[in-house]
Amino acid sequence: MTLIRKVVFPVAGLGTRMLPATKVLPKEMLPVVDKPIIQYAVEEAAAAGCETFIFVTGRGKTIIEDHFDRAVELFEALAAKGKDDVLGGLSSDVPKPGTVIATRQQEARGLGHAVWCARQLIGDEPFGVMLVDDLIHAETPCMAQMARAHAETGGNLVAVMEVPQEHTARYGIVDPGREDGPLVEVKGLVEKPAPEAAPSRYAVIGRYILDSAVFGHLDRHEVGAGGEIQLTDAMEKLIGSQPFFGYRFAGRRFDCGDKLGYLEAIVATALARPDLGADFAAVLDQYR
Ligand code: G1P
């Protein structure tokens, strides 16, 4: 397994698709059952061996940092009440001191720009990028699957899944070459192509393992689809000079940035919980 020591979480987005819930609350803090969406991503990164969690935040997002800090008063109150089980769970959720870093994306200039904001914190080593909206249920967490595959491929690896042709304009789409098990050679990448222009139905999902050479391209601040600096465009420039593969991960992805996807994530997560699943299934039966 390649050790992905650092993972970047771009969390500066406005979350307009989930208004009015996100007027004050960062979309990453919306709960899926009883955990904020971002905590699932942080746990997935930790399971892949991540040692440094880099949040690229924006104005109004400081409660994300607070969430990953010790809540002293709460912890003391729980200890005083003898609620050691709750306290134990909360304490183990807090990353080790010094492992969370937050930096600001000072202008909303796109995903490529957000990742570029972390360049000084990454330096010269392969690193992960996780888009928190994409919640993935998997037996082996998606990022760990990818870290394992990356040990074989080196270079750059992006999670991919097949999407309906009519949805290609929502994603970065791969121009695929040779396929070998879960690996799909990436010959090209296009950000949000119209269905008739899409080179395939392989969409990039929000999990990336990238070579730091991508920063050399992001440095140019070239504007792409939607008038934004696109990570897809910078990645596309690495193709040919470095290995570049799509990884068809085993698991199920939910788009929590979309109302229906978010609702489905809640239902699927609740049904999969040993402490809630059976009772929740009985509740759902009443709505059939
Ligand atoms: C971003 C990326 C896109 C990728 C998608 C995955 O788009 O730009 O290439 O396919 O995430 O969720 P966004 O959803 O931010 O518009």
Side-chain angles (χ1 to χ4, degrees), residues 13-287:
L14 294 176
T16 43
R17 285 188 292 169
M18 295 298 272
L19 282 167
T22 49
K23 192 176 161 195
V24 175
L25 189 69
K27 63 174 175 167
E28 298 79 11
M29 291 302 294
L30 293 173
V32 169
V33 187
D34 50 8
K35 274 189 224 174
I37 297 172
I38 190 168
Q39 194 173 331
Y40 292 92
V42 163
E43 287 174 6
E44 186 183 321
C50 171
E51 297 165 354
T52 305
F53 306 86
I54 300 172
F55 300 141
V56 180
T57 72
R59 292 176 64 76
K61 299 271 186 169
T62 44
I63 66 166
I64 295 177
E65 289 158 63
D66 291 343
H67 180 74
F68 292 101
D69 190 7
R70 288 174 59 83
V72 180
E73 301 83 356
L74 175 65
F75 284 20
E76 281 173 5
L78 289 170
K81 289 190 170 154
K83 302 210 166 182
D84 294 339
D85 48 339
V86 186
L87 185 56
L90 283 181
S91 302
S92 63
D93 285 346
V94 177
K96 290 198 202 88
T99 62
V100 170
I101 302 177
T103 189
R104 289 281 180 109
Q105 184 184 16
Q106 297 168 344
E107 297 170 279
R109 297 184 67 187
L111 178 60
H113 181 256
V115 171
W116 175 81
C117 288
R119 67 203 179 284
Q120 308 271 17
L121 303 168
I122 299 292
D124 184 18
E125 60 183 281
F127 66 101
V129 176
M130 293 179 69
L131 307 187
V132 170
D133 281 354
D134 288 327
L135 179 71
I136 299 178
H137 283 187
E139 216 159 280
T140 303
C142 183
M143 224 31 200
Q145 293 177 38
M146 289 175 66
R148 208 163 286 163
H150 187 267
E152 305 291 321
T153 64
N156 304 272
L157 191 65
V158 294
V160 295
M161 68 180 233
E162 283 191 86
V163 297
Q165 190 85 34
E166 63 270 25
H167 291 175
T168 58
R170 300 181 190 175
Y171 300 97
I173 301 288
V174 169
D175 180 5
R178 195 174 44 84
E179 297 193 23
D180 178 11
L183 292 175
V184 181
E185 184 192 356
V186 175
K187 294 199 318 191
L189 285 165
V190 199
E191 181 67 9
K192 304 200 169 83
E196 57 280 9
S200 76
R201 295 196 292 115
Y202 281 129
V204 176
I205 297 306
R207 303 287 184 276
Y208 310 76
I209 297 177
L210 299 176
D211 189 282
S212 58
V214 77
F215 291 120
H217 299 292
L218 289 172
D219 275 340
R220 298 198 191 110
H221 285 191
E222 278 169 29
V223 169
E228 297 192 332
I229 298 168
Q230 296 291 352
L231 181 59
T232 301
D233 297 343
M235 293 193 304
E236 137 83 26
K237 302 217 169 67
L238 297 174
I239 299 168
S241 60
Q242 294 185 340
F244 210 124
F245 288 93
Y247 181 78
R248 294 192 293 126
F249 59 96
R252 183 165 187 147
R253 172 257 186 180
F254 305 93
D255 178 6
C256 292
D258 168 79
K259 288 187 179 80
L260 267 185
Y262 175 61
L263 288 172
E264 192 185 349
I266 293 172
V267 171
T269 304
L271 287 174
R273 282 267 294 253
D275 59 334
L276 284 171
D279 290 345
F280 186 52
V283 170
L284 283 184
D285 272 344
Q286 298 170 30
Y287 292 86

